[in-house]
Amino acid sequence: MKLNFIRLQNFRNVEFAEVKFDSNSIWIYGNNAQGKTNLLEAIGMLNALRSFRTSATDILIRQGAKQANILVSAESELFGECIVELNLAQTKSIFIDGEKISKLGDFLGKFPVLAITNEDPKLLRGAPEVRRKDMDMFISSIDSQYFEDLRRYHKALSQRNALLRDTSNDSQLFNAFEFEMATSADTVLQKRKLYLDELAKIATEKYAILSAESNECAEINLKPNCDANSVQEFQQLWLKNRHSDIEKHTTQKGIHRDDYKIFIIGKDAKLYASEGQQKSAAIAIRLAQFEMLKKYLKTEPIILCDDILGELDASRRNRFWDSTSNSAQIIATATEPPATNAQRKWKTINAINGSFK
């Protein structure tokens, strides 16, 4: 996939900007707080209509404006060249070549973009919710049915939780919601195991290249919140816990509390890995996601590198490029222009106070 240009209006600190991307290697540089990351964030919205920095839409809209607009020209092997328009207001809307897309599931995966940022080590040291959300959005991008099953699960979960808050004893209603949850949970769990296992194998290979340590290996293991492993077992679990859940007013067990653990040399990376190891592991996970997106979506995602290359020493940067596709379009940000001996031939763009030249 390639990005040809982007037009922003009232997005973050950008009142209006139009930027051409007529190269496979774009380097956006400038001082801090000039809009570099904002531009990458806008591009990243193509992936799932979701910012890689925040879940709140209102802070994406320029102060004083009612709506932010993102318009891009993108092309891929599957869809050719398309004009995609994203409108961000109290409700979000998507248009592809002027046709409104009414369901997010019909948009996910069409224009894959992968962001690699300095926040990615939170995948190792952050809360389970951070890893779970990242995993769910990634799998949803390559498997639309997973997204639908997850959506149905959370809808039924919300209805069950409403019953719990009402301290209801209506067993028929509980049974109905729990059956809906169980059928979705079983599918989601099996797909999490399948895709996470594949991701782990690729990430291990990428980590070996990035770390350049033959005795180091990285592992990723799913950590389910409960032992249920079938529709019947999930139903039995929620029936057994129903009284306790009523007391707590929430569903305490289920796939909505799953997590995954990352290990380096057999040790929990959150507790024992160095900062450098955590950063390498986080990048390895992103590069593994790139390979899987490419495999399942039949197109190479755009790679966004938000101020990560400048923090890597020369040897680590070289190993990063050894792990990265030469044909993928990469859009990077930094406070300084690229080095004169850089491995890629960069087109440079200077960011100054929300404008890009």
Side-chain angles (χ1 to χ4, degrees):
M1 178 178 151
K2 309 294 180 189
L3 195 66
N4 297 321
F5 75 81
I6 186 168
R7 182 182 300 151
L8 304 182
Q9 187 171 11
N10 295 325
F11 185 87
R12 292 278 194 178
N13 71 330
V14 181
E15 183 176 5
F16 180 85
E18 185 170 299
V19 187
K20 292 183 179 180
F21 297 102
D22 51 354
S23 171
N24 251 20
S25 305
I26 307 289
W27 187 282
I28 304 165
Y29 70 97
N31 294 330
N32 292 327
Q34 300 303 303
K36 304 186 302 295
T37 298
N38 296 344
L39 179 59
L40 258 61
E41 183 181 25
I43 297 169
M45 297 287 289
L46 279 174
N47 193 59
L49 198 60
R50 180 174 179 265
S51 163
F52 59 73
R53 299 165 74 190
T54 179
S55 58
T57 301
D58 57 334
I59 65 176
L60 302 178
I61 302 171
R62 189 169 179 268
Q63 190 172 7
K66 295 181 179 180
Q67 178 174 293
N69 302 93
I70 304 169
L71 186 142
V72 303
S73 168
E75 57 183 290
S76 71
E77 297 92 326
L78 297 179
F79 305 108
E81 186 173 348
C82 300
I83 299 296
V84 183
E85 184 177 355
L86 309 178
N87 300 324
L88 312 178
Q90 288 185 336
T91 59
K92 301 175 184 177
S93 57
I94 308 167
F95 296 85
I96 299 177
D97 289 335
E99 182 178 347
K100 187 171 184 178
I101 307 300
S102 57
K103 294 171 59 179
L104 179 59
D106 293 335
F107 181 68
L108 289 173
K110 277 189 166 55
F111 304 97
V113 178
L114 183 75
I116 307 176
T117 79
N118 285 323
E119 295 296 305
D120 288 343
K122 288 183 179 179
L123 292 175
L124 286 79
R125 54 180 180 249
E129 181 183 10
V130 173
R131 289 181 288 277
R132 188 170 54 249
K133 281 187 175 181
D134 188 81
M135 172 173 57
D136 284 338
M137 290 308 300
F138 166 65
I139 299 176
S140 294
S141 295
I142 60 177
D143 189 329
S144 59
Q145 188 57 51
Y146 178 90
F147 176 78
E148 290 301 322
D149 287 325
L150 190 65
R151 184 188 62 79
R152 282 197 295 270
Y153 174 85
H154 280 284
K155 181 178 179 181
L157 172 66
S158 177
Q159 292 167 323
R160 183 179 190 268
N161 283 340
L163 283 180
L164 296 173
R165 290 191 295 271
D166 291 340
T167 62
S168 171
N169 291 313
D170 191 331
S171 60
Q172 286 188 324
L173 273 179
F174 271 112
N175 290 339
F177 294 143
E178 288 166 2
F179 176 74
E180 181 73 10
M181 288 169 62
T183 53
S184 300
D186 179 52
T187 303
V188 167
L189 178 62
Q190 302 312 319
K191 288 188 174 182
R192 279 180 179 171
K193 290 178 179 178
L194 177 69
Y195 289 123
L196 199 57
D197 182 62
E198 183 176 358
L199 182 76
K201 291 177 181 176
I202 302 172
T204 298
E205 297 171 359
K206 297 294 184 181
Y207 181 82
I209 298 172
L210 292 167
S211 67
E213 295 288 345
S214 59
N215 63 336
E216 284 192 10
C217 64
E219 302 172 25
I220 304 175
N221 295 327
L222 183 66
K223 186 182 177 185
N225 172 254
C226 58
D227 295 330
N229 202 39
S230 68
V231 174
Q232 292 74 21
E233 289 179 7
F234 276 114
Q235 286 180 284
Q236 292 168 6
L237 169 74
W238 291 316
L239 176 60
K240 177 182 176 182
N241 290 352
R242 196 177 291 171
H243 180 70
S244 174
D245 286 349
I246 288 174
E247 289 183 342
K248 299 290 185 179
H249 295 173
T250 191
T251 304
Q252 301 171 80
K253 296 285 186 179
I255 61 167
H256 58 290
R257 297 185 185 274
D258 281 355
D259 193 6
Y260 66 84
K261 289 287 187 181
I262 300 168
F263 296 86
I264 296 176
I265 325 177
K267 295 181 179 180
D268 188 339
K270 180 178 181 179
L271 301 176
Y272 299 104
S274 68
E275 184 174 346
Q277 288 174 320
Q278 289 183 347
K279 183 174 291 188
S280 292
I283 293 174
I285 290 171
R286 292 298 186 220
L287 294 177
Q289 289 177 342
F290 172 90
E291 297 297 339
M292 290 180 64
L293 287 165
K294 178 181 175 180
K295 172 184 173 181
Y296 288 100
L297 300 180
K298 310 299 183 187
T299 188
E300 285 192 324
I302 295 169
I303 299 178
L304 308 179
C305 295
D306 187 26
D307 205 24
I308 67 162
L309 299 176
E311 293 195 356
L312 300 176
D313 58 37
S315 61
R316 287 182 182 272
R317 277 199 301 272
N318 289 337
R319 293 197 293 271
F320 174 81
W321 295 124
D322 289 342
S323 306
T324 309
S325 169
N326 290 326
S327 56
Q329 187 178 45
I330 295 183
I331 304 173
T333 64
T335 55
E336 300 291 338
T340 55
N341 61 344
Q343 285 185 256
R344 282 188 169 230
K345 187 175 181 180
W346 297 95
K347 173 184 177 178
T348 57
I349 296 174
N350 189 203
I352 303 175
N353 196 28
S355 64
F356 306 91
K357 298 178 181 179

